Amino acid sequence: MTKVFNAIYVKNREKILSVTLFLYCVIGYLKTSTITNIYYCNSILNILLLLCAVILCFYLLFDLLNKKFKVTWFLIFGVFCAIGSLIVIHNTIICFFLAFLYVFKDGDLKKIAKIISYALLVSLVSVILLSGIGVIETLNGERFNKIRHSLGFNASTQASIFFFLYCLLFNFINKEKTPIYVLVLEIVANVLIYILTDTRTGFILTFIIVIISIILKIIENERLKNPEKKDIFLKIKEFFDVEENNKKFSVIFSLLPIFFNIIFALCIVLYRYNFSPAVFLNSILSNRFYFTMTAFVEKPMTLFGGFYNWIDSEGMYCGVDSSIYFYLFNWGIIPTIFILSVLTYVFYKAFRTRNYWLFISLVLILFEGMIDRVLFDIRYNVFLLSLIGLNSKMFFGANSENKNNKLNKSVKVELK
């Protein structure tokens, strides 16, 4: 029994957890597609999700017994929010966030991002192919007399969101080493998805990612040719690298999640008073100001959210999609405070540790999160797991002894 335990808990831990993360993400992506309309498919996905939860619970239990992490105030608050969400609205997202955060405590964010990028690519291609050959249903919508194809997903925006996230992860992993042919493929695929789905935000953000990658490649080539010359980007980096500047701007930029949502709230107020730019922006954003304003008027805000009917009298969807406001109504006030706290800290540490690529990635996710519910779900925002690289007492109770993702071979728990 001890040999089996050691094989699972020590020797094959990284492989098992990597597969678990991959499976968890694929399940989540497939659940946003019409594959769930096939008989028993949704039940199978739920069983696999339960399997992921059991595996994570096993590792978390023995990690706690082996004192690989300690109970901290962050963990207590997080577990409180997770249990509240699980009981009240049967939501498991916070549960899985905490579980993966703690089992990957000594992990490598790039490796984790690579796993999720594979899950994204496999899921996206599979759903589009199954839709193309007619195995699963394709739902079509219409906006301004233009047909919007869902490509097998439950919403026409989903394919564009997933492709944006895949490009963000792939380019985050490779940075200036991203091959030119990949950047060309990203542009072509982005245009095709936009033509089919008419999803503007994902289209624009994906282009921004490609442009940033191209600029980095150009800068890198120029630096290799003339290493003594300082370009404008290097000067900007050097400015932010100065300890005093870095410390000050880390605090300022950490408030971006709160600032963006205050701006969104001001736009809602301006829209309510028929301020022309806000009215125009509301139409561009598919009535998101109107829907959020209506929610504030008609829906109650509770400590742990609730189940609300987001379908109007005409059978049209009228839900709140802007991430923080979605969490506020559907998950409740307390989990939203937890989410904002985590986001603020992640933004702060990304800039404070001078990980500017991580910071840029977080900003792009934040832009997407203003109109879609992607901010606090590791399947969409894997950068939340950047907390694992902090080795902070706030999260784990002690600094990590192993920064290379290798487990201590000595197992303190004996099984008989």
Side-chain angles (χ1 to χ4, degrees):
M1 190 68 179
T2 303
K3 289 182 178 179
V4 174
F5 174 79
N6 285 334
I8 296 174
Y9 182 67
V10 179
K11 186 176 180 180
N12 297 300
R13 177 190 175 107
E14 184 177 353
K15 293 179 182 178
I16 293 172
L17 288 176
S18 296
V19 171
T20 303
L21 176 62
F22 178 85
L23 185 60
Y24 170 70
C25 291
V26 169
I27 292 167
Y29 303 145
L30 292 182
K31 274 182 166 289
T32 67
S33 73
T34 56
I35 198 171
T36 55
N37 295 334
I38 299 176
Y39 194 54
Y40 284 133
C41 269
N42 199 46
S43 298
I44 293 172
L45 292 176
N46 286 331
I47 292 171
L48 291 174
L49 188 63
L50 180 61
L51 176 62
C52 292
V54 171
I55 293 171
L56 289 171
C57 286
F58 167 81
Y59 283 101
L60 286 171
L61 174 62
F62 286 102
D63 279 357
L64 183 61
L65 292 175
N66 287 318
K67 299 180 181 179
K68 291 187 180 296
F69 65 86
K70 296 179 181 179
V71 176
T72 64
W73 284 111
F74 169 82
L75 181 58
I76 292 171
F77 186 31
V79 169
F80 177 66
C81 293
I83 293 174
S85 295
L86 187 63
I87 293 174
V88 177
I89 59 173
H90 315 313
N91 186 289
T92 61
I93 290 177
I94 299 179
C95 296
F96 277 102
F97 161 70
L98 290 172
F100 281 114
L101 176 64
Y102 278 83
V103 296
F104 280 117
K105 184 178 77 70
D106 299 315
D108 183 347
L109 180 62
K110 282 191 176 181
K111 288 183 179 179
I112 296 171
K114 190 175 291 187
I115 294 168
I116 295 182
S117 70
Y118 291 151
L120 272 167
L121 186 61
V122 169
S123 303
L124 182 61
V125 172
S126 298
V127 170
I128 292 176
L129 285 178
L130 290 173
S131 171
I133 63 178
V135 175
I136 62 176
E137 186 181 2
T138 297
L139 306 175
N140 296 329
E142 187 176 340
R143 179 168 63 185
F144 304 131
N145 297 321
K146 184 175 182 179
I147 300 298
R148 307 181 70 191
H149 302 278
S150 72
L151 303 180
F153 293 96
N154 291 324
S156 56
T157 59
Q158 209 66 51
S160 181
I161 292 173
F162 286 154
F163 185 69
F164 153 67
L165 293 172
Y166 172 75
C167 292
L168 181 60
L169 288 177
F170 186 89
N171 293 20
F172 168 79
I173 294 165
N174 295 281
K175 299 182 176 64
E176 68 276 359
K177 294 181 181 179
T178 306
I180 288 292
Y181 76 89
V182 172
L183 295 173
V184 173
L185 287 174
E186 287 176 351
I187 292 172
V188 173
N190 191 35
V191 171
L192 289 175
I193 291 174
Y194 173 71
I195 291 172
L196 292 170
T197 65
D198 192 35
T199 305
R200 294 163 298 199
T201 307
F203 173 74
I204 294 170
L205 290 176
T206 302
F207 257 117
I208 291 174
I209 297 166
V210 174
I211 290 170
I212 291 173
S213 300
I214 291 173
I215 291 173
L216 283 174
K217 288 187 76 68
I218 295 172
I219 293 171
E220 183 66 18
N221 289 333
E222 289 297 321
R223 287 175 183 170
L224 290 173
K225 292 177 182 178
N226 192 355
E228 295 181 359
K229 183 181 178 181
K230 289 188 177 182
D231 54 72
I232 182 65
F233 295 99
L234 184 58
K235 291 179 181 178
I236 293 172
K237 181 180 181 301
E238 289 178 346
F239 172 79
F240 285 126
D241 280 347
V242 175
E243 178 64 18
E244 184 180 345
N245 294 337
N246 183 271
K247 190 173 183 179
K248 177 174 61 178
F249 281 98
S250 295
V251 175
I252 295 172
F253 290 144
S254 70
L255 299 176
L256 282 178
I258 297 173
F259 176 75
F260 272 45
N261 283 283
I262 290 174
I263 294 297
F264 193 90
L266 289 174
C267 288
I268 294 172
V269 173
L270 293 173
Y271 169 78
R272 186 173 187 180
Y273 289 98
N274 293 316
F275 184 60
S276 297
V279 173
F280 172 75
L281 192 56
N282 176 68
S283 65
I284 295 295
L285 297 178
S286 302
N287 290 321
R288 280 175 170 80
F289 294 159
Y290 169 74
F291 292 148
T292 309
M293 180 190 71
T294 303
F296 273 108
V297 173
E298 298 180 356
K299 308 293 183 183
M301 284 186 290
T302 62
L303 293 180
F304 286 101
F307 295 100
Y308 301 120
N309 179 22
W310 296 111
I311 305 298
D312 62 21
S313 58
E314 298 179 356
M316 301 297 291
Y317 175 73
C318 61
V320 177
D321 283 334
S322 180
S323 288
I324 294 300
Y325 295 99
F326 170 83
Y327 302 139
L328 190 60
F329 285 102
N330 293 276
W331 294 13
I333 297 171
I334 294 178
T336 302
I337 294 173
F338 174 72
I339 290 168
L340 277 173
S341 301
V342 172
L343 287 171
T344 300
Y345 191 77
V346 168
F347 268 78
Y348 172 79
K349 292 302 289 188
F351 204 87
R352 190 73 180 97
T353 55
R354 297 167 176 81
N355 193 337
Y356 301 122
W357 247 103
L358 173 60
F359 178 76
I360 291 171
S361 300
L362 285 167
V363 171
L364 291 174
I365 290 280
L366 181 59
F367 273 113
E368 180 65 46
M370 296 312 298
I371 61 172
D372 287 298
R373 55 190 88 162
V374 300
L375 276 182
F376 204 82
D377 187 335
I378 61 171
R379 293 168 295 192
Y380 294 87
N381 187 4
V382 64
F383 304 109
L384 293 171
L385 295 181
S386 61
L387 295 176
I388 63 176
L390 300 177
N391 301 316
S392 172
K393 291 183 179 181
M394 181 193 303
F395 304 112
F396 308 116
N399 290 332
S400 174
E401 296 177 358
N402 189 343
K403 298 181 181 180
N404 297 315
N405 201 27
K406 295 179 181 178
L407 289 170
N408 187 342
K409 296 290 183 179
S410 62
V411 180
K412 298 178 182 179
V413 177
E414 294 184 1
L415 296 179
K416 297 181 179 180

